[in-house]
Amino acid sequence: DTEVTQTPKHLVMGMTNKKSLKCEQHMGHRAMYWYKQKAKKPPELMFVYSYEKLSINESVPSRFSPECPNSSLLNLHLHALQPEDSALYLCASSQDTGSSHGYTFGSGTRLTVV
Amino acid sequence: AQSVTQLDSQVPVFEEAPVELRCNYSSSVSVYLFWYVQYPNQGLQLLLKYLSGSTLVKGINGFEAEFNKSQTSFHLRKPSVHISDTAEYFCGIYNQGGKLIFGQGTELSVKP
């Protein structure tokens, strides 16, 4: 298995809703990442997990809450989002944070906040 | 701080023509450099990477890139493009802090 699987592919949520994005990989990678990508822009790093521990938080608002239940799973919990949070959310993984092999990206969750 | 700059936001080209997508980087230490491709409504796919050694790197789909330390560049090339190469291309630099940072992207549009 050489894929990163993200669910759901599309999500529409209201500003008062609570939802979660899920990311899964079975490549034995020990580093996992959340990126946010707005239209016509590059992906921006949000969080880095290394060996299931949060190692980097790029000053992301607390309405985004990451969780790494085990080495294969990464969740992003969403609460009280704003319309400007609408974007493509990409999950990625790598062998470790020092990996020279590059990252494997999922196809993303396209989030719309209404 | 390490960064990458993609010099062209859009590159239109005709099918079967050669193409070069330009990327310059800034770093005071050794770097890992990458090119990723993003097709519409999809995630990013690794095209190729430079870690060390040979400065000419070959990747998937017929793409190659040349690392030039003196010019701090890592330009992506393909001798003959296809319609299916139409996509967004991102140059990336992996910094010592464990982050993969991307340039602003280049939209390659291949026309028949």
Side-chain angles (χ1 to χ4, degrees):
Chain A
D1 188 349
T2 59
E3 290 187 346
V4 173
T5 302
Q6 290 188 244
T7 55
K9 292 196 180 306
H10 301 275
L11 178 63
V12 179
M13 62 184 290
M15 290 188 284
T16 58
N17 291 160
K18 287 184 180 180
K19 297 286 185 183
S20 296
L21 310 184
K22 181 180 175 182
C23 174
E24 192 167 4
Q25 57 88 14
H26 296 287
M27 296 176 280
H29 289 176
R30 303 314 301 267
M32 297 185 77
Y33 312 83
W34 281 115
Y35 280 82
K36 173 182 178 181
Q37 186 180 25
K38 301 284 276 185
K40 302 293 186 183
K41 295 290 186 183
E44 295 179 348
L45 184 65
M46 300 174 72
F47 302 104
V48 178
Y49 271 83
S50 177
Y51 289 83
E52 302 163 46
K53 298 220 180 308
L54 182 65
S55 61
I56 296 176
N57 177 340
E58 291 288 276
S59 302
V60 179
S62 59
R63 59 185 183 268
F64 296 91
S65 176
E67 178 196 21
C68 190
N70 59 57
S71 61
S72 300
L73 283 175
L74 185 66
N75 298 320
L76 186 63
H77 303 298
L78 314 172
H79 173 56
L81 295 192
Q82 302 298 308
E84 58 265 29
D85 296 321
S86 297
L88 180 68
Y89 288 84
L90 294 164
C91 175
S93 70
S94 64
Q95 290 189 346
D96 56 50
T97 56
S99 175
S100 61
H101 297 281
Y103 296 4
T104 302
F105 282 84
S107 296
T109 294
R110 188 162 297 282
L111 174 68
T112 303
V113 181
V114 297
Chain B
Q2 292 155 312
S3 65
V4 288
T5 301
Q6 292 182 242
L7 300 171
D8 307 292
S9 60
Q10 295 180 317
V11 173
V13 64
F14 287 106
E15 193 174 19
E16 298 183 9
V19 71
E20 178 180 80
L21 306 184
R22 298 181 295 165
C23 173
N24 284 357
Y25 71 91
S26 172
S27 177
S28 58
V29 298
S30 297
V31 296
Y32 297 155
L33 291 162
F34 304 86
W35 274 100
Y36 282 84
V37 60
Q38 186 175 31
Y39 299 103
N41 299 313
Q42 293 191 26
L44 277 72
Q45 181 182 7
L46 181 64
L47 276 177
L48 48 80
K49 60 189 176 187
Y50 173 78
L51 308 178
S52 64
S54 173
T55 58
L56 184 62
V57 181
K58 293 190 181 299
I60 63 171
N61 301 343
F63 284 93
E64 63 182 31
E66 186 159 15
F67 173 71
N68 188 319
K69 188 174 182 179
S70 62
Q71 297 187 8
T72 61
S73 67
F74 189 55
H75 300 334
L76 181 70
R77 302 186 182 102
K78 186 169 182 177
S80 175
V81 294
H82 302 290
I83 298 287
S84 58
D85 292 322
T86 294
E88 190 84 18
Y89 291 79
F90 292 100
C91 182
I93 188 168
Y94 184 83
N95 72 16
Q96 303 303 310
K99 302 179 187 179
L100 177 57
I101 307 299
F102 294 100
Q104 290 300 303
T106 297
E107 182 181 358
L108 176 63
S109 177
V110 182
K111 304 179 185 306

